[in-house]
Amino acid sequence: MKQNVESKINELLVTGYKTSFNSVFGKASDIFKGIAGYAILAFVVYFIASMIISSVIGLLFPVAAMDYNEVMDTIQGGDNEALRDLLTQYSQNTSYIYSIVNNLITAALYPILYSIFTMAYKFDNYKNVEISDIFIHYRDGKFLNIFLASLIISIISMIGIILCIIPGFIIYAVTLLVVPLIIFADADIKQALNYGVKLGFKDLGSFILLLLSIIGVLIVGLLLCCVGLIAAVPFVYVLIYSFYKEIVGFPDNHTEIDEIGTDIYKDNPYMNS
């Protein structure tokens, strides 16, 4: 993890920090206007890929083959409860396999959505955003950490929601900055989870408010005939980027991402005057 970012976070954990949501939303709106096309394209690519892969998984793991003799014997026995339990068992066996494989594939596709963080950073620092940025985290050496972090967060959050909705909700909230720490601060999984969660609990109210804002944005997108989700989902990631910048920021303002793309002021002759 970058030393200056780690030092900044440790300082924040001691002194605390304040978050201005007016600033976060304002900055997110300005950035989204500049990268909307690319961000929406990233979401569409992710959505289509996930739908295709989910369909393939469904074909590979169809409903478990039933022992029809056993089923017929159960039917003839007239025990409706036993029949229901038998059918449930077949369904669950397939469901568990499908869920595991589907979660693994979904986590592997998340870097496409997380590329929106990189797009936001580049635009925010006067860099050209490119279509190839959609797949940047498959080639920048951070895929494994992003994949594992996404998987861990999904599993823990799911368990929290199953046990009780509130713990799951809190887990989602305090882990919002985990992936940005991997992308922008070069944190490994342990560091990202450790510092991300600590920052979350340092000002839990702000993180919960952000999560509620995210849910609100998605609900609005859903109400707009679901079409609004095409813009709402990418905007959520820009919002998280803006939140990360508001809290952690970029102490050195120079990362690997700075080397990607081109300075629009340098390349545009109309801006050289």
Side-chain angles (χ1 to χ4, degrees):
M1 184 174 184
K2 294 183 177 180
Q3 189 62 44
N4 52 352
V5 179
E6 188 172 14
S7 298
K8 172 70 178 298
I9 293 176
N10 284 324
E11 180 183 343
L12 292 174
L13 292 176
V14 174
T15 62
Y17 55 87
K18 293 183 179 181
T19 306
S20 170
F21 271 85
N22 285 335
S23 175
V24 170
F25 271 90
K27 189 65 177 177
S29 297
D30 290 340
I31 293 175
F32 186 69
K33 291 175 185 176
I35 66 169
Y38 293 100
I40 290 174
L41 179 60
F43 172 67
V44 171
V45 170
Y46 165 82
F47 181 78
I48 293 176
S50 63
M51 288 297 99
I52 293 175
I53 293 175
S54 292
S55 299
V56 172
I57 294 174
L59 292 175
L60 294 175
F61 300 99
V63 176
M66 295 183 181
D67 185 335
Y68 289 102
N69 290 328
E70 182 181 8
V71 173
M72 290 303 299
D73 289 342
T74 305
I75 293 175
Q76 291 173 0
D79 190 341
N80 293 331
E81 186 68 26
L83 178 61
R84 185 162 47 249
D85 291 341
L86 181 62
L87 295 176
T88 299
Q89 180 181 351
Y90 281 120
S91 176
Q92 286 180 341
N93 289 339
T94 300
S95 177
Y96 290 146
I97 296 175
Y98 176 86
S99 296
I100 292 172
V101 176
N102 195 56
N103 284 334
L104 289 172
I105 297 299
T106 299
L109 291 176
Y110 273 144
I112 295 176
L113 290 177
Y114 293 143
S115 69
I116 299 174
F117 291 148
T118 299
M119 295 177 188
Y121 177 88
K122 289 177 68 174
F123 181 84
D124 198 22
N125 287 272
Y126 310 106
K127 303 290 182 179
N128 286 328
V129 178
E130 302 171 352
I131 292 180
S132 60
D133 290 332
I134 294 174
F135 306 103
I136 186 173
H137 299 308
Y138 291 105
R139 61 177 190 271
D140 65 356
K142 297 176 181 177
F143 168 75
L144 184 59
N145 284 336
I146 292 175
F147 168 74
L148 292 176
S150 300
L151 198 58
I152 291 171
I153 293 171
S154 295
I155 293 173
I156 295 177
S157 300
M158 189 178 300
I159 293 174
I161 290 177
I162 291 174
L163 295 177
C164 184
I165 294 177
I166 294 178
F169 184 83
I170 292 175
I171 291 171
Y172 270 119
V174 299
T175 55
L176 285 170
L177 297 188
V178 170
V179 173
L181 284 171
I182 293 174
I183 293 174
F184 299 120
D186 294 339
D188 58 29
I189 298 175
K190 182 179 179 181
Q191 292 169 328
L193 287 171
N194 179 42
Y195 285 119
V197 170
K198 283 183 177 179
L199 283 171
F201 279 112
K202 187 66 178 180
D203 187 3
L204 184 58
S206 292
F207 278 73
I208 289 179
L209 183 57
L210 175 63
L211 183 55
L212 289 174
S213 299
I214 289 172
I215 293 173
V217 170
L218 294 177
I219 290 176
V220 170
L222 189 63
L223 292 176
L224 295 175
C225 301
C226 295
V227 178
L229 285 175
I230 295 177
V233 173
F235 178 75
V236 161
Y237 286 88
V238 178
L239 189 61
I240 295 173
Y241 163 82
S242 182
F243 188 72
Y244 173 86
K245 182 179 179 180
E246 178 81 5
I247 295 176
V248 180
F250 303 94
D252 59 355
N253 201 33
H254 184 79
T255 68
E256 294 174 7
I257 299 175
D258 286 318
E259 305 301 327
I260 304 170
T262 310
D263 190 330
I264 62 174
Y265 290 104
K266 178 181 178 182
D267 278 6
N268 194 330
Y270 297 104
M271 294 184 179
N272 287 332
S273 55

